[in-house]
Amino acid sequence: MKHITRFAFVAALAASAPSHAQTSDATAAASGVLRGTDAVATKVAATPSSDARDLASRAYQRGYYITAFKEAMTRIKANEQDAPAMTLIGQLYSEGLTVKRDLAEAARWFKLGSDRGDRQATFQLAVAALEGSGIAKDKAYAKQLFEKAAAQGHPGALYNLGVMAVEN
């Protein structure tokens, strides 16, 4: 199941508009909140142009986390606005893969990716704010981030906004 979770994250990271559905884990199921790494995605074929620049995501998908981290950092050094690479680094910190698990550092990378327009980073940051994971727990800020991600077409953000509306 962990492999499917990683594939889902990479598919969402690599594709500009992936087609996917999400399920929640046992802890999130109780609250009804979908988390970013709980997504189940359909495989999106890589185009030749995205294939060359997406070595980091492919390495992550295959479990080569050191390579994923190094390639994502290389992409950021080459382009300081590479939001998907920042999101991938945030995910590695969030899961403690290759690096020591550090939720505050994960949230920092998700914020950087979100500020540069990555909807998955925005979603991950919203979940962190909702749960108080690496950043202060702030439901209003989480809602604002879910709205931003939803405006970019993130289905998990739309779902979580619906859950938040029902809870109020």
Side-chain angles (χ1 to χ4, degrees):
M1 187 59 165
K2 191 71 169 170
H3 177 73
I4 292 172
T5 299
R6 287 188 193 112
F7 171 75
F9 173 77
V10 172
L13 177 70
S16 61
S19 169
H20 63 281
Q22 295 187 316
T23 60
S24 59
D25 65 9
T27 57
S31 66
V33 174
L34 292 182
R35 303 180 75 228
T37 58
D38 298 327
V40 177
T42 58
K43 186 172 183 177
V44 177
T47 61
S49 62
S50 69
D51 192 46
R53 68 179 172 86
D54 211 18
L55 179 59
S57 296
R58 289 183 290 135
Y60 177 89
Q61 179 182 2
R62 289 175 177 82
Y64 300 125
Y65 306 119
I66 294 171
T67 301
F69 185 84
K70 287 179 181 177
E71 288 299 321
M73 291 302 285
T74 299
R75 283 173 48 181
I76 292 168
K77 286 178 185 171
N79 175 7
E80 293 181 1
Q81 301 302 312
D82 191 337
M86 293 172 186
T87 305
L88 178 57
I89 292 171
Q91 191 63 33
L92 290 168
Y93 274 105
S94 176
E95 294 183 36
L97 301 171
T98 298
V99 293
K100 182 179 177 190
R101 186 170 190 224
D102 185 340
L103 299 177
E105 187 67 6
R108 185 179 80 80
W109 282 103
F110 290 143
K111 173 91 169 94
L112 290 169
S114 176
D115 289 347
R116 287 160 179 80
D118 187 80
R119 72 182 189 168
Q120 185 64 26
T122 304
F123 177 76
Q124 294 285 54
L125 187 59
V127 171
L130 188 64
E131 297 176 345
S133 180
I135 60 174
K137 190 172 188 172
D138 185 343
K139 193 171 181 179
Y141 181 53
K143 183 178 179 187
Q144 176 187 353
L145 291 168
F146 282 136
E147 288 171 347
K148 178 180 175 185
Q152 295 172 314
H154 195 288
L158 290 165
Y159 173 83
N160 285 336
L161 284 171
V163 170
M164 292 175 89
V166 169
E167 289 177 348
N168 289 333

